[in-house]
Amino acid sequence: MADMNVDRESLRELADQGNETALDRLADLAEAVGDLGELSELLDEGSMHAGFLLTRRAAATGDLRELQRIADAGYDEAGNELDRLLRE
């Protein structure tokens, strides 16, 4: 079986055509290198996986403002996490 190494440019083209799996892969790549800017952009494009990754980071550091921003961008779980932290 050949090792398939999909390049970032191909993933971007697929994501731009509405492929959610490609969008998720881009989010994973951004997470791997700690590119929060790209993760935020991917969330703005509708990537719920990027929202998950950003929420996990913000919750771990207790960044309430970031959780609110993520929730406002459409990832509801960030709002749930924000409420949980506020109640602690």
Side-chain angles (χ1 to χ4, degrees):
M1 179 180 267
D3 179 37
M4 186 167 160
N5 186 12
V6 180
D7 66 89
R8 195 176 203 79
E9 188 175 313
S10 296
L11 287 172
R12 173 43 58 201
E13 287 177 19
L14 290 169
D16 288 346
Q17 294 172 10
N19 186 304
E20 288 185 33
T21 303
L23 202 57
D24 290 350
R25 287 279 304 274
L26 284 171
D28 286 335
L29 291 172
E31 168 73 4
V33 297
D35 189 340
L36 299 180
E38 184 174 2
L39 278 172
S40 292
E41 289 174 17
L42 291 167
L43 174 61
D44 292 342
E45 291 178 42
S47 171
M48 292 300 101
H49 186 57
F52 165 77
L53 295 170
L54 286 165
T55 297
R56 185 175 65 187
R57 281 178 171 264
T61 61
D63 189 339
L64 303 178
R65 288 185 182 105
E66 179 66 2
L67 286 168
Q68 183 64 59
R69 189 197 69 74
I70 298 165
D72 290 346
Y75 187 67
D76 295 337
E77 188 57 37
N80 296 339
E81 197 60 28
L82 176 60
D83 288 343
R84 183 187 68 76
L85 288 174
L86 290 172
R87 288 192 174 103
E88 284 185 350

